[in-house]
Amino acid sequence: MKGAFRKGWIMGDYVELRWVRMWYEAEGAGDPLLLLHGGLCTNETWAAQRTDFAARYRVFLPERRGHGHTPDVEGPLSYQDMADDTVAFIESVVGGPAHLVGWSDGGVVALLVAIARPDLVRKVVAMGASFLPGPQSGAAPEMLDHVTPDAPDLAMFRQAYEATSPDGADHWPVVMGKLTDMFRTQPTIPEEDLARIGAPTLVLVGDDDLITLEHTVALYRAIPGSELAVVPGTSHALLMEKPAEVNRIILDFLANEPVQTLLPLRRAPAAAATGSGPA
């Protein structure tokens, strides 16, 4: 790796993976934890989490292809390619299994990594994530019809891209087009694949999220033994709107084993659930 430099007191660097030159930042000490940002975003969206998480973990923040400081690549964007990049990053930089905390698109990537490479995953937090495309999982799928590179609602994302992308401001419409196509048609994760996730998983969502609560509950039900948290009074941007509450929920999940509940139904032992166990 070459060209490392400090961004404030945080170390940033590029790592050459097979298909992409990926930018990442790292801070803290302890067990490894990856923070996987959302679509159209950069690592700046984790500003309210970094200090709390780095106090307990060695935190890695990779920026995916076409996002932030990481250049775009030829061809369309896909969640599977970004998951493959993340696997390569864990193998090349982290060097062993890590906790994955993903928001929005980052949550989708975390789920795909957990399915494909369970040996590299400790625990998963999927926040505002989906397993079906926007038209099937979104609370307002018509929003995709108004997503254009110069849309006023995307000004914040466009400015962040222009400030960081090595591809330059003129490449923004190209990346925006690729992402819009991806949102319309991806992800498509079969529920039987979700059922293969063995890592302890927390599904986290805002009560007024872009992803419907019905879809979020379906995701929760599809992952064996997963836990569900709905943060009241928040939207898809829950990590920024109520960071103290979100951080507390995530850190508690990562640090502790599940409590033994008094009246388990979904998590009841098979014998008890079928009524064949002792009275």
Side-chain angles (χ1 to χ4, degrees), residues 25-260:
E25 296 160 34
E27 58 184 306
D31 291 338
L33 183 158
L34 267 67
L35 291 179
L36 304 173
H37 61 76
L40 304 176
C41 296
T42 72
N43 286 337
E44 293 301 317
T45 53
W46 293 112
Q49 281 69 49
R50 297 175 70 143
T51 299
D52 286 353
F53 289 13
R56 305 188 189 190
Y57 297 95
R58 177 62 173 167
V59 178
F60 295 89
L61 302 96
E63 290 183 330
R64 295 187 299 278
R65 53 174 67 190
H67 291 75
H69 300 77
T70 299
D72 192 17
V73 298
E74 291 294 328
L77 290 173
S78 77
Y79 289 110
Q80 189 59 60
D81 286 343
M82 292 188 285
D84 292 343
D85 293 343
T86 304
V87 167
F89 176 83
I90 296 173
E91 292 179 326
S92 299
V93 178
V94 180
H99 299 302
L100 305 183
V101 177
W103 171 53
S104 194
D105 281 6
V108 178
V109 170
L111 294 173
L112 289 170
V113 173
I115 292 167
R117 291 296 304 273
D119 57 308
L120 296 178
V121 179
R122 299 188 181 201
K123 291 186 177 183
V124 175
V125 177
M127 181 168 30
S130 63
F131 62 94
L132 292 175
Q136 295 166 259
S137 60
E142 68 278 3
M143 288 177 62
L144 287 173
D145 296 332
H146 306 288
V147 173
T148 61
D150 57 353
D153 290 347
L154 295 179
M156 176 180 66
F157 301 102
R158 183 172 62 251
Q159 291 164 8
Y161 181 90
E162 292 173 349
T164 57
S165 175
D167 296 321
D170 291 344
H171 197 68
W172 165 252
V174 177
V175 167
M176 192 65 248
K178 292 183 181 185
L179 286 169
T180 303
D181 290 343
M182 187 178 78
F183 298 155
R184 289 184 185 280
T185 60
Q186 300 176 44
T188 54
I189 307 175
E191 290 191 27
E192 53 266 33
D193 286 354
L194 294 171
R196 292 166 38 211
I197 295 178
T201 300
L202 170 65
V203 176
L204 186 60
V205 71
D207 65 352
D208 189 22
D209 208 289
L210 284 177
I211 305 301
T212 68
L213 290 176
E214 291 79 7
H215 184 80
T216 299
V217 170
L219 174 61
Y220 155 71
R221 287 177 171 160
I223 302 173
S226 62
E227 300 180 21
L228 174 66
V230 180
V231 181
T234 62
S235 71
H236 195 57
L238 66 163
L239 73 167
M240 303 170 218
E241 294 162 345
K242 289 192 175 180
E245 187 166 352
V246 168
N247 294 2
R248 178 187 59 79
I249 291 170
I250 293 174
L251 289 171
D252 179 75
F253 171 75
L254 294 177
N256 299 299
E257 295 304 313
V259 300
Q260 185 65 47

